[in-house]
């Protein structure tokens, strides 16, 4: 109830009560949610203007987000953290959870990212989904997602975060399963939801621990009290939060759902599975920076870094082997988020860098996906890069915007990725000692791999000779690649501008801006200077790209993937056996166990009951045979009974 | 003894008698199906309104038992006909009032077996309603027992007369399970009565008086008496391994009856945990809590896994409920006010969410004519609204935030964690499994390409027409207005109580606090100013 | 001669009667065995009367005789009627009612 | 009897009971009326022309019961609380005896109504002439005729008188005589069925032979106890058992034999073997009479013997009777499961109920006594009505008692099925029926007396027994009727009245049992 807020108000770093224009922050949630509600309840009646309403609400939210942003920047750095109490949500005695919003630089950054990219993708979707008779519903789901995502980043307690957290999971489920008439889409959606739930359990348990030890789940109280907790509690909470982050952000060992999620329409992949939702894990850890920054959380941080490093490698390696346009991008996303997680795992030295990479990645990866969508839109939804090629001439705008995004991603000097990724690699080297060398090395190696697989993608899709001319798509149509319409190209252009410029603009401003939320960006000095790392990174990326050119650029590529390949490629094609492992460890034993339990329930538990009943019936059937109908046998039984009774009486008396 | 309050007096009596009168009227009108249906609906709606009025008149901060009245029944035993409500009973009575009109609405157009009448069906439902209201409101233990047992009889006939192919087996199984449990409880009821008679020197069955005596009995006595009650409630609830009657009963019962069975009747068990076990046997409750917790957690996991393994939709629903009842039992025996409030709200929300799930599944079955999951596939293409309803009910069943069930499951788990961390952690696995079974069902029925005998094949019999336009049977149409009307209130409540559960929490919390106090339990996590709780300790309401 | 021997004889007669009921098939004989049991009891009663030094037992024996006579009337009537029906007095033949 | 008592008085060299003056006849008027009417009834049979006998006998029987009832009620209103003895101390008229008399009279009213009915089976359920051989032409003729043997009425009255004496008997000899007075007519009545004469005769033979066998046991027990205590007066036996130096072998052997004889009459397992056969073979009204009234009388006797004569040795016999009660409940519940004849099924049910009653009887407390008395009352009425309903379901060969013939009966006759369901639920002990309250009071007494395990067994047995009651309900409601199934006869006034009486009492005692509970607990065995 209000108790927590008052309590928080007394804390030095607590939040202030929101005033003025910030009082309307609930509009951020309600606008898209109302749009979704109208579209869902209105049904077919809203078909004509549904997409417009959907887009308008998100754009409206973006505009309000901008207003809020400038409203906040007008305040002093200490006053930039504001809380808005909406209503008591769950309140039982000592447990009290408000539905409240936390308006601070971190959340506002995300608000702008979500509504900004969201708006662009809404606009893009108007064109992309124009053939779908359920386009209205698609926009409703997108709006639902935006609303839930905003709740995730705006909530001022871990429970509200959890609310949004599962809400985006639902939206993601609905959108991955958009083509629900297809089994693979439905299965992918279910898989995504389930793996997310596994992560959610971690988040939930972390919340339970907070309640048990700190009596509250609000950011204010938890962050104020976390310093007084034992190392065990801190580490446990830290690792459980990380588990949540792993689920949502597709981190090892819960990364397998993200590539499958590409079964959804491409705008979904761009918005949810590249730019925003999957980065929620990074947000969570950055948001929990007061916890991770503690000295007691050293071990938790280390685990975070390990997870980030493993994931970034896995993503890169698998990305090199895939032939599906979107899945390569998806593994690229997995790997880039690995970078972010690695960054936030560094602690105060990395929170801002992780967020920075998150933002730049949001621009270029969304742009890359939209480009992929544009290609597929023009190519009868063909996603196999081996059947593409030479599209640069057919789709010039797509090609240019995509290439800009590509360059940004591989860290081409002075484009976005250069600033954000290099900073992370540099920070990783400075993690200290052998640890620094290992993490830095992995990050550096990852940069090279990234350049390799992205270049491979570029070559196979846009350059070289067209391989599609003699082929037909699955539904039997010939390919007639063409440039997409303006509703699709304009968002791509805007995003490509962002890909080019965002890094340069943000890298200077962001750490200072985020300071009230995640603390000061710690200056670190590693064994290599920042410049050296930059040069190394660019060099290794260039090598990666060069190798890709050497392998794929010089000779004709087959239309079907070669089967006789070396074992690393086979392993990478099989997702490094992640799915096999899941299958062997969980799915199949689960099925067996279920069958066994069904058997136990029917034959065992119920069998006992029915067995008792049958036993009674059977003994009844046998016993009634004793009632022979012969009067003499009756007399015998009476005599026997009498003897027993008398004998028993005498025994009781004399024995 | 309850002193009748001026306003509540007639209200509770009306709540009890109205369905009885309704049942009589409907039986009298059963010759004309249509009139009988209208009468049944009218009575159930009035009852619902009365329930709302009772809710409004209830003072959350007031006396423990409110709106009571009491009449002498069997003076030589000290048995009274006395009814009153506390917060827990109130919300359950309100839920009954809500579900019955919906069940009547949902069963409006269903065919009854040959030789039976719609009027008879609805009359039995109204009768069952009256009895369950009585069970929740009874404050005399003898009266409670009496109603607890005779509420089996209308249900027995509802299953046995109007059920599916194996209805005889299911009805008898249901009856015998509950009856045996009830008989064992009878032994404990008498035991408490004898104990109180020795202590107080007078015969009484009054709940408050019995509680005050029995709760001071030595541990060993309490354990025996506890077990008697527990078996009866565990059968009702149902806890593993006393659950096997439920899948059969649910599978064979008509849809509306399944809603009442799972939504209301089973809640008597968990209600009994709170109203009888904890206050009357505090020592035994503490001693035996691990036992119940184990059963609860086993129920969560076991029910969930079995739900995924079912081939029949209605059996699936039963196992889903078994899993949910595991959560409820966990919350009650984790002994914190949060978890107990969670359990009570779980009881309410489960009625709403699972009730809706059953109704929706019933609508699916009504269209496809088969209860086998394998007979369906890709139905969302034909019936998008129905699919959406199934999804909403399913999401609530898996306790997605934003739905009502989240509040309760969250409270149960967060409240249980401080006292029973290991059990809670195991139970959270149930969260994942819940997603698994709900989405599994949704995928099998609604998603994928159009398939399955019920939709395009032979399950409907050789005479079934395939509509060339939709490529499926003609009978497969989306929800009609009546069905939408039935589901709309449930959707509203699912979302509404998910976002703003305060009305329920505020009513339930004082009663739970009183229960905790009676059982001498203290919250493991105290709110910061602990003076309040100290004050509360001094005397129970 | 102590009265105990009479008691033992009585018990023996009672047992013989009881065993007779079990082993004989003819309804009349079975019935006679029961009469034997009653008379064994009479012997006991008289003996106890002697032991106790009161006449009650002897009087009771008369009562028993009267009652036994009444029983004979009823019993023979029943046995006669079933004999007329079945043309046999074997109790083993009447076992339509069983299980 | 008076002769014997006076002789006894002379023989015993102890101070005579204070009341040597005129015996308090007012206390035993009900018995005198019944026995007197029985004699009158015999005269009717001998003197009245055939066509007058039935109306005269019915009127006499009903009037007798009414008059005895009135006398009983007027006596009860100013009866001494401590009770009094009558007939020179052979009869103890105390509160339990009065309650049992009232119960017996009320139940026999129902039974007589069933016996007197001539509309369900044209001419009544009884054979026109018992001498006719079954299967002959005369037998077919008597089946078709509308005449009936009215001897059943004096027999009923004699049996009733015997029962009333039995439960008030203050010494074992009186008890023995009463036992025979109640049994002998019943043996005969069992053989009087108009249809299925073979079964009926077989039932009579079996009942008679086994009954006589049991009587011999009873009597031997009496003799041994006489040998032990030097008296057959219950109070004297109690006194001797409390502090006698005689051989305990006599006491316990005698006690055992005596109890066996009583348990036989009460149809307690394992002495129940006659019950199913006799219940099935006897004419249904007689079965009703036997099942209800004999049970009351027998348990009246058991209660009196256990509480008055054997209380001091309870620690010895209690365990044994625990065992007997368990055996009885288990046999009744388990064997009832697979019965295919509804009358046999109810017979096994009565065996199970005998076990429950025995539980109440061996709780030697006021509650045990009053609980058992109340249970007897409730059980009796339910049983009368049950057999009344059974007599209504008929096909061309008479009553259709095979369970398969009851399938789908609810569709043919919802009312009958409803009534029967209610009665079965009462037998199962579902709340709001008298059966539940009866079980409740008995179990409460048992628990208060520290017999929790026995109660648990009883509850489980109740649940098992519930299965076979449910089976009938399932058959009636949830099964499809057979094409050539039985019809439900519209009952005449008498049967209707009997069934209605039974159902109303069953309901009344279930819903508002307070008054009857008060009666049952108004006093204990005062004459000791």
């Amino acid at each position: 109830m209000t108790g927590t807020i008052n309590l928080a108000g007394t804390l030095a770093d607590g939040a202030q009560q929101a005033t003025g224009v910030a009082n309307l922050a609930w509009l951020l949630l309600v606008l898209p949610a109302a749009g979704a509600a109208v579209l869902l309840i209105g049904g077919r009646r809203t078909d004509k203007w549904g997409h417009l309403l959907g887009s308008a609400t998100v754009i409206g939210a973006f505009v309000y987000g901008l207003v809020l942003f400038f409203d906040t920047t007008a305040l002093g750095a200490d006053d930039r953290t504001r809380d808005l109490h909406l209503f008591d949500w769950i309140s039982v005695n000592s447990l009290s959870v408000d539905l409240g919003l936390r308006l601070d630089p971190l959340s506002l950054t995300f608000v702008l990212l979500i509504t900004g990219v969201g708006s662009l993708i809404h606009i893009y979707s108007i064109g992309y989904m124009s053939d779908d008779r359920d386009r209205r519903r698609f926009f409703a789901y997108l709006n639902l997602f935006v609303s839930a995502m905003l709740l995730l980043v705006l909530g001022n307690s871990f429970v509200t975060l959890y609310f949004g957290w599962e809400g985006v999971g639902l939206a993601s489920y609905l959108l991955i399963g958009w083509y629900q008439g297809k089994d693979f889409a439905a299965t992918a959606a279910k898989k995504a939801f389930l793996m997310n739930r596994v992560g959610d359990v971690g988040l939930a348990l972390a919340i339970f621990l907070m309640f048990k030890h700190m009596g509250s789940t609000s950011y204010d109280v938890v962050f104020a009290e976390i310093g007084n907790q034992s190392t065990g509690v801190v580490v446990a909470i830290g690792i459980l939060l990380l588990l949540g982050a792993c689920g949502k952000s597709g981190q090892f060992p819960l990364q397998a759902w993200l590539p499958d999620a590409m079964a959804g329409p491409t705008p979904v992949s761009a918005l949810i599975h590249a730019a925003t939702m999957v980065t929620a894990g990074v947000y969570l850890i950055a948001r929990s920076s007061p916890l991770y920054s503690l000295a007691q959380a050293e071990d938790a941080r280390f685990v975070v870094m390990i997870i980030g490093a493993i994931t970034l490698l896995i993503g890169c390696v698998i990305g090199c082997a895939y032939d599906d346009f979107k899945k390569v991008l998806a593994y690229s996303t997995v790997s880039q988020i690995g970078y972010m997680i690695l960054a936030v795992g560094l602690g105060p030295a990395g929170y801002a860098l992780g967020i920075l990479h998150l933002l730049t990645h949001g621009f270029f990866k969304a742009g890359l996906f939209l480009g992929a969508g544009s290609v597929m839109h023009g190519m009868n939804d063909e996603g196999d890069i081996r059947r593409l090629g030479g599209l640069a001439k057919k789709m010039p705008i797509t090609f240019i915007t995509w290439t800009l995004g590509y360059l940004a991603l591989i860290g081409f000097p002075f484009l976005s990725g250069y600033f954000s990724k290099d900073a992370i690699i540099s920070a990783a080297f400075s993690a200290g000692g052998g640890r620094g060398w290992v993490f830095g090395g992995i990050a550096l190696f990852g940069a090279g791999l990234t350049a390799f697989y992205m270049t491979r993608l570029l070559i196979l899709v846009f350059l070289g000779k067209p391989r599609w001319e003699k082929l037909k798509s699955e539904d039997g149509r010939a390919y007639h690649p063409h440039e997409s319409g303006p509703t699709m190209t304009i968002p791509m252009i805007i995003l490509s501008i962002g890909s080019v410029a965002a890094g340069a603009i943000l890298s200077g401003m962001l750490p200072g801006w985020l300071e009230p939320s995640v603390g000061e960006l710690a200056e670190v000095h590693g064994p290599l200077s920042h410049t050296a790392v930059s040069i190394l990174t660019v060099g290794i990326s260039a090598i990666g790209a060069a190798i890709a050119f050497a392998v794929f650029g010089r000779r004709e590529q087959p239309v079907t993937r070669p089967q006789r390949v070396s074992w690393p490629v086979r392993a990478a094609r099989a997702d490094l056996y992640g799915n096999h492992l899941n299958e062997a460890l969980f799915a199949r034993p689960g099925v067996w166990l279920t069958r066994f339990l069904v058997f136990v329930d029917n034959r065992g538990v119920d069998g006992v009951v029915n067995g008792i009943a049958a036993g009674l019936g059977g003994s009844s059937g046998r016993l009634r045979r004793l009632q022979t109908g012969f009067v003499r046998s009756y007399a015998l039984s009476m005599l026997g009974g009498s003897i027993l009774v008398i004998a028993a009486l005498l025994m009781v008396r004399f024995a | 003894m309850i002193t009748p309050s001026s306003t509540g007096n007639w209200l509770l009596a009306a709540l009890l008698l109205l369905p009885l009168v309704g049942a009589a009227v409907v039986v009298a009108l059963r010759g004309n199906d249509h009139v009988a249906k209208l009468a049944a609906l009218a009575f159930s709606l009035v009852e619902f309104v009365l329930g709302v009025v009772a809710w409004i008149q209830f003072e959350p901060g007031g006396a423990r038992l409110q709106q009571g009245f009491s009449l002498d029944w069997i003076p030589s035993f000290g048995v009274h006909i006395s009814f009153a409500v506390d917060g827990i009973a109130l919300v359950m009575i309100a839920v009954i009032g809500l579900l019955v009109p919906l069940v009547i609405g949902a069963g409006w157009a269903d065919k009854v077996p040959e030789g039976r009448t719609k009027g008879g069906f609805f009359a039995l439902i109204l009768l069952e309603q009256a009895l369950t209201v009585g069970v929740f409101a009874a404050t005399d233990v003898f009266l409670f027992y009496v109603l607890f047992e005779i509420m089996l009889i209308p249900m027995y006939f509802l299953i046995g007369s109007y059920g599916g192919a194996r209805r005889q087996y299911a009805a008898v199984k249901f009856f015998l399970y509950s009856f045996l449990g009830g008989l064992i409880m009878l032994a404990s009821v008498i035991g408490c009565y004898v104990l109180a008679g020795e202590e107080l020197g007078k015969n009484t069955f009054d709940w408050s008086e019995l509680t005050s005596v029995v709760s001071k009995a030595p541990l060993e006595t309490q354990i025996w008496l506890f077990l008697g009650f527990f078996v009866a409630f565990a059968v009702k609830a149902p806890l593993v391994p006393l659950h096997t009657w439920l899948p059969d009963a649910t599978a064979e019962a008509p849809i509306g009856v399944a809603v009442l069975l799972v939504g209301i009747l089973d809640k008597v068990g968990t209600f009994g945990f709170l109203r009888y076990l904890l206050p009357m046997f505090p020592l035994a409750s503490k001693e035996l809590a691990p036992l119940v917790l184990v059963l609860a957690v086993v129920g969560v996991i076991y029910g969930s896994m079995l739900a995924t393994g079912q081939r029949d939709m209605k059996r699936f629903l039963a196992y889903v409920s078994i899993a949910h009842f595991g959560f409820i039992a966990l919350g009650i025996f984790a002994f914190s006010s949060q978890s107990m409030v969670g359990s009570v709200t779980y009881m309410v929300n489960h009625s709403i969410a699972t009730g809706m799930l059953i109704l929706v599944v019933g609508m699916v079955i009504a269209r496809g004519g088969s209860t086998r999951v394998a007979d369906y596939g890709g139905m969302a293409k034909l019936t998008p609204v129905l699919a959406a309803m199934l999804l909403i009910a399913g999401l609530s069943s898996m306790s997605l935030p934003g739905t009502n069930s989240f509040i309760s499951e969250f409270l149960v788990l967060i409240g249980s964690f401080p006292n029973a961390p290991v059990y809670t952690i195991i139970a959270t696995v149930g969260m994942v499994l819940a997603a698994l079974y709900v989405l599994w069902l949704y995928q099998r029925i609604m998603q994928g390409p159009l398939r399955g005998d019920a939709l395009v094949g032979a399950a409907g019999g050789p005479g079934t027409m395939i509509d060339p336009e939709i490529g499926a049977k003609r009978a497969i149409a989306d929800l009609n207005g009546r069905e939408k009307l039935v589901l709309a209130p449930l959707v509203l409540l699912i979302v509404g109580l998910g976002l703003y559960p305060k009305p329920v929490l505020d009513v339930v919390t004082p009663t739970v606090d009183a229960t905790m106090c009676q059982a001498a339990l203290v919250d493991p996590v105290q709110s910061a100013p602990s003076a309040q709780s100290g004050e509360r300790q001094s005397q129970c309401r | 001669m102590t009265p105990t021997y009479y008691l033992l004889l009585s018990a023996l007669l009672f047992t013989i009667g009881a065993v007779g009921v079990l082993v004989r098939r003819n309804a009349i004989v079975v019935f006679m065995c029961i009469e034997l049991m009653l008379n064994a009891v009479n012997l006991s009663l008289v003996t106890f009367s002697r032991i106790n030094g009161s006449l009650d037992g002897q009087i009771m024996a008369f009562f028993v005789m009267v009652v036994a006579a009444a029983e004979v009337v009823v019993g023979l009537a029943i046995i006669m009627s079933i004999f007329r029906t079945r043309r046999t007095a074997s109790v083993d033949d009447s076992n339509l009612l069983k299980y | 009897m008076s002769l014997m008592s006076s002789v006894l008085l002379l023989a015993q060299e102890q101070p005579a009971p204070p009341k040597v003056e005129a015996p308090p006849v007012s206390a035993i008027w009900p018995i005198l009326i019944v026995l007197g009417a029985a004699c009158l009834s015999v005269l009717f049979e001998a003197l009245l022309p055939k066509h007058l006998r039935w109306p005269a006998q019915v009127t006499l029987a009903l009037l007798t019961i009414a008059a005895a009832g009135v006398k009983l009620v007027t006596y009860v209103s100013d009866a001494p609380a401590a009770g009094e003895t009558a007939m020179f101390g052979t009869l103890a008229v105390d509160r339990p005896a009065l309650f049992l008399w009232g119960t017996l009279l009320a139940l026999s009213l129902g039974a007589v109504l069933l016996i007197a009915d001539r509309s369900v089976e044209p001419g009544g359920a009884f054979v026109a002439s018992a001498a006719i051989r079954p299967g002959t032409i005369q037998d077919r003729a008597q089946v078709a005729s509308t005449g009936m043997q009215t001897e059943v009425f004096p027999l009923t009255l004699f049996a009733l008188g015997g029962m009333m004496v039995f439960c008030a008997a203050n010494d074992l000899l009186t008890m023995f005589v009463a036992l025979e007075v109640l049994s002998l007519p019943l043996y005969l009545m069992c053989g009087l069925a108009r249809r299925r004469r073979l079964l009926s005769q077989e039932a009579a033979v079996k009942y008679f032979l086994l009954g006589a066998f049991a009587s011999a046991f009873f009597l031997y027990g009496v003799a041994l106890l006489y040998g032990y205590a030097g008296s057959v007066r219950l109070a004297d036996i109690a006194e001797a058992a409390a502090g006698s130096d005689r051989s305990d072998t006599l006491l316990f052997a005698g006690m055992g034999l005596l109890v066996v004889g009583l348990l036989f009459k009460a149809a307690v397992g394992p002495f129940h073997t006659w019950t199913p056969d006799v219940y099935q073979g006897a004419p249904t009204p007689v079965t009703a009479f036997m099942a209800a009234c004999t049970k009351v009388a027998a348990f009246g006797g058991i209660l009196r013997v256990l509480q008055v004569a054997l209380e001091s040795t309870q620690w010895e016999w209690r365990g044994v009777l625990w065992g007997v009660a368990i055996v009885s409940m288990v046999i009744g519940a388990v064997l009832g499961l697979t019965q295919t004849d509804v009358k046999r099924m109810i017979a096994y049910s009565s065996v199970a109920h005998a076990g429950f009653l025995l539980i109440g009887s061996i709780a030697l407390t006021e509650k045990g006594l009053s609980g058992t008395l109340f249970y007897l009352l409730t059980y009796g009425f339910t049983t009368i009505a049950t057999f009344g309903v059974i007599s209504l379901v008929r096909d061309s060969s008479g009553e259709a008692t095979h369970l398969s013939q009851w399938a789908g009966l609810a569709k043919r006759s919802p009312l009958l099925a409803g009534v029967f369901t209610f009665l079965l639920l009462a037998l199962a002990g579902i709340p709001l029926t008298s059966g539940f309250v009866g079980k409740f009071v008995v179990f409460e007494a048992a628990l208060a007396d520290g017999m929790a395990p026995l109660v648990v067994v009883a509850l489980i047995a109740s649940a098992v027994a519930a299965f076979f009651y449910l089976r009938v309900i399932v058959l009636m409601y949830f099964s499809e009727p057979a094409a050539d199934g039985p019809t439900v006869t519209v009952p005449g006034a008498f049967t209707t009245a009997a069934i209605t009486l039974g159902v109303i009492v069953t309901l009344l005692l279930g819903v508002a049992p307070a008054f009857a509970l008060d009666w049952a607990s108004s006093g204990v065995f005062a004459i000791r």
Side-chain angles (χ1 to χ4, degrees), chain C residues 2 4 27 32 39-41 45 49-50 56 60 78 87 93:
Chain C
T2 59
T4 318
M32 285 305 128
N39 283 317
V41 176
L45 283 171
S49 179
R50 164 95 183 171
D56 295 7
M60 276 193 273
I78 292 172
R87 292 283 151 204
D93 287 349

Side-chain angles (χ1 to χ4, degrees), chain A residues 87 89 92-95 162-163 166 173 180-181 183 186-187 190 194 197 208 594 598 601 605-606 609-610, chain B residues 169 173 177 243-244 302 305-306 319 337-338 398 401 413 431 436 443 447-449 498-499 501 513 525 527:
Chain A
F87 57 85
W89 187 25
V92 176
N93 294 340
S94 51
L95 173 73
Y162 185 80
F163 186 174
E166 291 238 315
Y173 168 78
Q180 56 180 351
D183 275 328
T187 307
K190 188 177 69 178
L194 283 178
R197 266 256 155 157
F208 302 160
T594 303
V598 170
D601 202 57
V605 183
D606 207 24
V609 176
N610 287 335
Chain B
Y169 172 76
K173 194 170 180 181
Y177 254 92
H243 65 282
T244 54
Y302 188 79
M305 302 222 48
L306 279 165
Y319 283 105
S337 63
Q338 286 83 19
M398 65 161 102
L413 292 174
M431 287 170 54
L436 177 64
Q443 185 184 0
Q447 297 183 319
L499 293 177
D513 286 343
V525 178
S527 43

Side-chain angles (χ1 to χ4, degrees), chain A residues 391-558:
Chain A
L391 290 172
K393 279 172 228 149
K394 298 279 181 185
M395 303 178 169
I397 303 176
T398 306
F399 171 64
I400 293 168
T401 54
W402 201 89
T403 309
L404 288 174
Y406 153 78
L407 291 173
L409 171 55
I410 64 170
F412 193 80
F414 310 112
L415 297 187
S416 289
Y418 169 78
F419 292 102
S420 54
K421 197 160 62 177
D422 284 9
I424 292 174
I425 295 170
S426 164
F429 273 111
S430 58
R435 204 183 271 189
W437 284 105
V438 170
F439 286 124
I442 289 174
L444 200 56
F445 180 58
L449 281 177
T450 309
F452 173 78
Y453 68 74
M454 284 308 292
T455 311
R456 169 175 176 264
L457 209 52
L458 179 77
I459 295 167
L460 288 179
V461 174
F462 290 102
L463 307 179
K465 287 185 185 154
R467 291 181 297 280
W468 40 267
E469 280 170 335
K470 290 170 190 158
L471 300 172
K472 293 198 167 173
S473 61
E474 268 175 41
D475 48 8
R477 290 182 290 159
Y479 295 110
H480 298 290
H482 55 86
E483 186 56 270
S484 304
T487 53
M488 290 170 67
T489 48
I490 289 171
M492 284 154 59
I493 293 168
I494 295 175
L495 285 172
S496 67
I497 294 170
S499 314
V500 172
I505 299 170
L506 291 176
S507 64
M509 290 160 36
L510 197 69
W513 161 246
L514 287 178
E515 214 181 283
S517 299
V518 300
E520 201 177 343
L521 180 64
E523 283 293 323
V524 285
H525 300 285
L528 298 173
S529 74
H530 189 77
T531 326
V533 171
S534 286
I535 293 166
L536 260 178
T537 311
V538 172
I540 286 183
S541 297
I543 294 170
I547 292 174
F549 265 107
V551 175
F552 300 102
R554 292 195 308 184
R555 55 173 185 266
E556 188 83 357
Q557 289 298 311

Side-chain angles (χ1 to χ4, degrees), chain D residues 43 315 347 352 385 407 454:
Chain D
L43 287 179
W315 300 115
L454 198 52

